[in-house]
Amino acid sequence: MAFIAYFLARADVLVYFSIFIALFIYWINGIRKSTAKMPPGPMPLPVIGNLNLLDLEKPHESLMQLSEKYGEIFTLHFGPKKMVILAGYKIIKEALVTRADDFGERAIAPIFEMASKGHGIIFSNGETWKSMRRFSLSTLRDFGMGKKSVEARIQDELMPLIESFRSHNGKPFNTHMLINSAVSNVICSIIFGRRFEYDDPTFEKLIKILDENAKLAGTPKVLVH
């Protein structure tokens, strides 16, 4: 009886091991087929892809290190999502300027897709995005984009910005929030006809929320689904 129980136990192990090997071979073949026409890149792991190779706090540094090994164009898996990474000024300029129409689509992040339903200027794609872009450019030109009136608004905002710089009396400080506030004030002056003081608590809170959203949108975590 003990021998039979031992054999059955071993049989279970062999069955599980055989299933694991079969699934592993199936996964390897699937990866090879799906990446056959893709640029080179590191072999992804199940579920997590290549996230093990990335520093999620500083993904840009990890991507630059990978580009040294795989070249300016390489494939990376953010979880189950495949992405082609462009690294280097020349190749990015070719994609965004020379071949702008081919690279005009936006990446679809699940969290933003749920929130926007594919609408709006930032997260829409295809014909919807082209229509919104035409409408936005036309509207912004009506507000003075590309005209002398916008130049005057930018120059008006320079004085408060310079005064804020001077208030630090030559000591080092982080210019990030001040520059964001100045740019936002130019937009506010065009759209609302008024600017806000840099220490306005409501204005400051909104700038910080926008800043945090921009940082979140650029993290690999948002792309994983």
Side-chain angles (χ1 to χ4, degrees):
M1 293 295 292
F3 174 77
I4 295 174
Y6 175 76
F7 178 78
L8 290 174
R10 290 300 298 266
D12 288 342
V13 172
L14 288 174
V15 169
Y16 291 138
F17 183 72
S18 300
I19 292 173
F20 173 78
I21 293 297
L23 289 174
F24 182 75
I25 294 173
Y26 175 78
W27 172 71
I28 289 292
N29 289 334
I31 288 295
R32 287 177 178 173
K33 289 179 181 179
S34 66
T35 58
K37 297 182 180 180
M38 301 290 288
M43 176 67 76
L45 296 175
V47 182
I48 66 171
N50 300 125
L51 290 177
N52 60 308
L53 302 178
L54 296 177
D55 180 355
L56 298 183
E57 296 297 326
K58 300 177 180 178
H60 58 286
E61 294 183 2
S62 302
L63 294 176
M64 289 306 297
Q65 291 173 1
L66 289 169
S67 71
E68 295 175 2
K69 182 177 181 180
Y70 297 102
E72 290 184 328
I73 307 176
F74 61 97
T75 302
L76 207 63
H77 291 70
F78 287 75
K81 193 179 186 70
K82 283 186 297 185
M83 301 191 71
V84 175
I85 308 298
L86 306 181
Y89 172 77
K90 290 183 178 179
I91 196 68
I92 292 175
K93 182 180 178 182
E94 181 182 351
L96 300 183
V97 179
T98 309
R99 303 178 61 181
D101 291 339
D102 296 331
F103 291 86
E105 296 287 322
R106 297 291 189 271
I108 299 176
I111 186 171
F112 297 126
E113 184 69 13
M114 291 173 59
S116 67
K117 305 297 183 184
H119 301 299
I121 300 173
I122 299 175
F123 301 114
S124 59
N125 274 302
E127 289 301 320
T128 302
W129 175 74
K130 291 178 181 179
S131 299
M132 290 299 299
R133 183 176 181 273
R134 286 193 295 268
F135 170 77
S136 301
L137 289 174
S138 175
T139 304
L140 287 172
R141 288 191 186 99
D142 292 339
F143 278 105
M145 186 185 74
K147 300 177 182 178
K148 287 289 185 180
S149 58
V150 172
E151 182 181 339
R153 293 178 187 275
I154 293 172
Q155 291 177 344
D156 289 342
E157 189 60 34
L158 281 176
M159 292 310 298
L161 182 61
I162 292 171
E163 289 301 320
S164 295
F165 280 11
R166 286 175 176 169
S167 66
H168 291 85
N169 299 318
K171 296 179 181 179
F173 66 99
N174 190 340
T175 63
H176 179 71
M177 287 300 295
L178 277 177
I179 296 296
N180 277 2
S181 298
V183 173
S184 297
N185 259 337
V186 172
I187 297 172
C188 288
S189 65
I190 294 172
I191 296 176
F192 305 126
R194 58 162 295 191
R195 64 176 300 278
F196 299 87
E197 297 298 329
Y198 296 150
D199 57 356
D200 184 303
T202 302
F203 182 63
E204 188 176 3
K205 182 179 179 180
L206 289 173
I207 295 297
K208 287 181 178 179
I209 291 173
L210 289 172
D211 193 50
E212 288 299 319
N213 285 339
K215 290 179 181 177
L216 177 63
T219 60
K221 299 174 185 177
V222 172
L223 301 176
V224 177
H225 69 289

